[in-house]
Structure formats: C-alpha cells, structure tokens
Amino acid sequence: MMRKLSLLIGTVLLLTAVAASGQELRIYNWSEYMDEEKMPADFEKRFGIKVRLDIFENNEEMVAKLQAGGVSQYDIIVPSDYIMPVLINRKLVQPLDHAKLPNLKNLKPLFRQTGYDPGNVYSVAYQWGTVGLMYRKGQVPEDAVKSWSVLFDEKKQPGPFWLIDGVREMMGIALVYLGKDFNSTRPEDLKAASDLLVSTKRTKNCMGFKSGVGGKNDVVAGTAVAAIVYNGDAIQSVTEDPEKLAFTIPKEGSEIWYDSMCIPAKAPNPDAAHKWINWLLEPEVGAALSNYNQYATPNAAAEAFITPEDLNNPGIYPTPEIMENLHFTRDLGKDNRIMDEAWTRAKTR
C-alpha cells in the first residue's frame, strides 16, 4: 500500500512539475526511430518538459513541412546527411549553442567534421546505418540475394516485393546495379536508372514503392517476400524471428547514411531542444536509443553500453568488405532537379 502511495505521489509531482514549467518540446522524427513512449517519458521526468512527437517518412516530406510553416512549429528535426545543405542554405535551421552541449565531446571524430557541417555548427549526429534487402528465408534463395538482380531481373524475382520510396536511396541502388556512380547526374545514367525502375515496376511481382517501415512490415506479415529497407528496421524484426527473416546488402553496393539532430530556424523552444540533444549524447541514453532501434551509434562513449550482439552484427556495423561498396549520398545542388525529374518519371510511368 505504501509503495502504491509513493508511486502515486511521484506521478503527481512529475505531472505538477511538467505543468508548472509550461514547456513543451516538439520533435519531428522518422517513424519507429526511438522508443516513442519511454524516451519522451524519461526526458519529461529528468527535465520537467513535455515532449510531443510528429512523424515523417522521407526527407522531402520533412523539408516541405518546414517550408510550409513547420520551421516555427518544431524544436528538433532529424534530417539525413544529403538534405543538410538544403536546410543550411535555405536558412531553415539555426546555429547550435555549443556552451549548452558539453556532451558533444562524446561524438566520434567522423561525425564532428562532416563535409556539409564541419564543427557541428548546425547539426549533431543521431544514428547511422545502411539500406539493403530484407527477405523471407525459404522463399528467397540465399544465392539470389547476393545481387540486386533478385529484384531487377524478372526471371530471378522470387515473389512479391517492394522497392523503397526514397528518391536518392532507390535511384542510387539502380545506378550502382547498372555499374554507374551512386551519385551520378549524367542524363544518360539517370535515364538508364529510371528506365530500369519503370521496367521493374511493371513486372508482375513488383508491388511498387513503399517506405522502409511499410515494406518491412509487409515482409514480416508475409504479404511480400522481400523489400528494400533501412537496416535498423530490418534488424529489429530479424532479431525477433531469425528463422524466417534476414537482411543483406547485395554485392553491387548501396547507401550508407547518417541522420542528425537540428533545431529549426524559428523553433519555439530552442533551450529545450539543446537539453534534448545534450541528453541524447549521454553515454547510457545514446546506447538505449541504439539498443532499441538497432541502428549504429555515432557516440563513442555509448559503445560500452551497446548490446554486444549488436556491436558484432555486420547488419548494424558493416564489415570493411561491405563498407567498400557503400556510398554516402551527396547533395547535388542545382542538379537535384534532373535527379527529381528522373525519379518522377520512374514513379509515374
């Protein structure tokens, strides 16, 4: 009875503290990218600041939302590396106050000197990972998944599958399968990649384009035998059912990416946003994030608390051999237009 009373009192005090602060932290993040119940609750308990979470499914959707007024509605956004120059050049994000981020020291050097934001002026790495093929064992031959031809060659298609609904991920994979540069903007290369996606989409087994989470869910449910997905989405499900599910990166290669935390230019509560970023950079908090979503951590201090099985899983931390065929997505500047045109053609024809 006393224990229940203590818990009740503690809950009341927490709610009172949150209400008294009157503060709210609004986060715009990818779906299933953190424990959406525990992490906000832990932050509220620590700082007395209520957390509100909205979800997006791709970077283009997030940028469009910011430009439509979201820049003054959210305190934290989680963009991918290639879209960062767009956010910076269009002044959609604000510089960070490093005096409020003492835990920046925990980041690995690779993530402290990015090409688009050296010195973390606007961004702090959140997680990093890859894009690959999730499939159902027994329904997809193990030899077949060694190449992207398992999807692009109609004769090798094992059953219904999803392509990923992401312009740079999907176009890049099509380009490397054809032996081209992952970031090519040559018109003839983009036409060839677009033609490949159009012809693949028209095969009887291709179900079209779907978000990584959506494709993963269909493979788990058995309504698809394969899907192109983000590695963390796949690994969570593979861990739960390793007898039926698997994830791999075909030999032609794919994308390696990292996402960052940024503060929109007109964020209503930038002080709370800094608290959130610095909190996630704490070793045990950063590890809890990666242990939940099974993406790789950019936080060197967090690795001591990462599940050992995850640290040794090449699906999360790729081997040097796999890394050789992974490509960062570069910002294309003015050439983004020709890439978007090729993607629109692939999706609408």
Side-chain angles (χ1 to χ4, degrees):
M1 186 67 183
M2 289 301 296
R3 182 175 181 274
K4 290 182 179 180
L5 182 59
S6 297
L7 287 172
L8 178 60
I9 292 172
T11 302
V12 170
L13 289 174
L14 171 60
L15 293 174
T16 301
V18 172
S21 73
Q23 292 193 64
E24 181 179 74
L25 176 71
R26 295 194 62 182
I27 299 175
Y28 198 29
N29 200 355
W30 300 80
S31 62
E32 299 186 16
Y33 211 7
M34 68 178 185
D35 189 326
E36 295 174 9
E37 294 183 3
K38 188 176 187 305
M39 293 202 76
D42 287 348
F43 183 78
E44 288 178 22
K45 183 177 180 180
R46 174 83 169 268
F47 297 100
I49 301 172
K50 182 177 176 60
V51 177
R52 178 174 172 180
L53 179 67
D54 286 347
I55 299 300
F56 62 87
E57 295 295 346
N58 59 64
N59 286 287
E60 291 69 29
E61 175 188 343
M62 179 267 298
V63 172
K65 182 70 173 287
L66 291 181
Q67 292 178 316
V71 71
S72 61
Q73 297 173 8
Y74 295 106
D75 302 300
I76 292 284
I77 56 173
V78 187
S80 298
D81 43 15
Y82 77 89
I83 208 76
M84 279 299 306
V86 172
L87 297 173
I88 294 171
N89 293 335
R90 295 182 184 177
K91 302 186 185 306
L92 294 173
V93 291
Q94 62 179 266
L96 301 173
D97 183 349
H98 286 201
K100 297 179 179 179
L101 301 173
N103 289 329
L104 269 177
K105 65 181 185 297
N106 292 335
L107 280 184
K108 295 179 180 179
L110 172 67
F111 300 101
R112 283 189 271 131
Q113 294 296 328
T114 63
Y116 57 80
D117 186 25
N120 304 109
V121 176
Y122 295 95
S123 64
V124 173
Y126 179 78
Q127 299 278 259
W128 67 274
T130 60
V131 175
L133 184 70
M134 181 179 177
Y135 62 97
R136 293 187 68 85
K137 292 181 176 180
Q139 294 178 266
V140 184
E142 292 295 321
D143 285 342
V145 299
K146 294 178 181 179
S147 169
W148 286 116
S149 63
V150 69
L151 304 185
F152 295 136
D153 185 340
E154 186 172 11
K155 295 178 181 178
K156 297 181 180 180
Q157 292 171 355
F161 65 89
W162 287 106
L163 301 173
I164 193 167
D165 190 8
V167 50
R168 299 302 302 278
E169 298 92 332
M170 195 65 255
M171 288 293 291
I173 288 171
L175 285 165
V176 295
Y177 173 71
L178 294 170
K180 313 297 184 182
D181 183 346
F182 185 90
N183 292 286
S184 177
T185 56
R186 297 177 61 190
E188 59 269 33
D189 290 350
L190 294 177
K191 183 179 184 303
S194 182
D195 287 345
L196 175 63
L197 295 178
V198 170
S199 63
T200 300
K201 188 176 66 171
R202 292 175 176 174
T203 63
K204 65 178 182 179
N205 287 310
C206 184
M207 300 168 74
F209 300 92
K210 203 167 193 177
S211 71
V213 171
K216 177 264 295 185
N217 289 339
D218 283 355
V219 175
V220 172
T223 55
V225 300
I228 301 177
V229 303
Y230 298 107
N231 65 314
D233 294 333
I235 296 299
Q236 291 180 50
S237 297
V238 171
T239 300
E240 294 171 1
D241 195 357
E243 297 300 317
K244 294 182 180 179
L245 304 172
F247 173 83
T248 191
I249 297 175
K251 63 183 180 182
E252 295 90 355
S254 185
E255 180 190 44
I256 181 173
W257 51 265
Y258 49 90
D259 294 337
S260 297
M261 296 176 283
C262 300
I263 303 177
K266 298 180 181 179
N269 197 345
D271 185 63
H274 281 87
K275 285 184 170 66
W276 175 269
I277 294 171
N278 196 61
W279 180 66
L280 278 184
L281 288 171
E282 292 181 7
E284 294 190 51
V285 178
L289 174 66
S290 290
N291 287 337
Y292 174 81
N293 62 33
Q294 292 191 288
Y295 285 105
T297 181
N299 188 334
E303 288 190 348
F305 303 96
I306 295 292
T307 304
E309 291 80 4
D310 286 353
L311 276 178
N312 295 316
N313 186 337
I316 303 175
Y317 295 88
T319 65
E321 292 75 20
I322 296 173
M323 290 289 288
E324 288 180 2
N325 292 319
L326 295 177
H327 310 270
F328 281 109
T329 299
R330 297 196 305 267
D331 174 55
L332 303 179
K334 61 181 178 61
D335 289 328
N336 275 312
R337 179 184 57 80
I338 189 173
M339 174 68 74
D340 289 340
E341 289 173 354
W343 175 242
T344 299
R345 178 175 176 273
K347 292 195 69 177
T348 58
R349 286 193 62 178

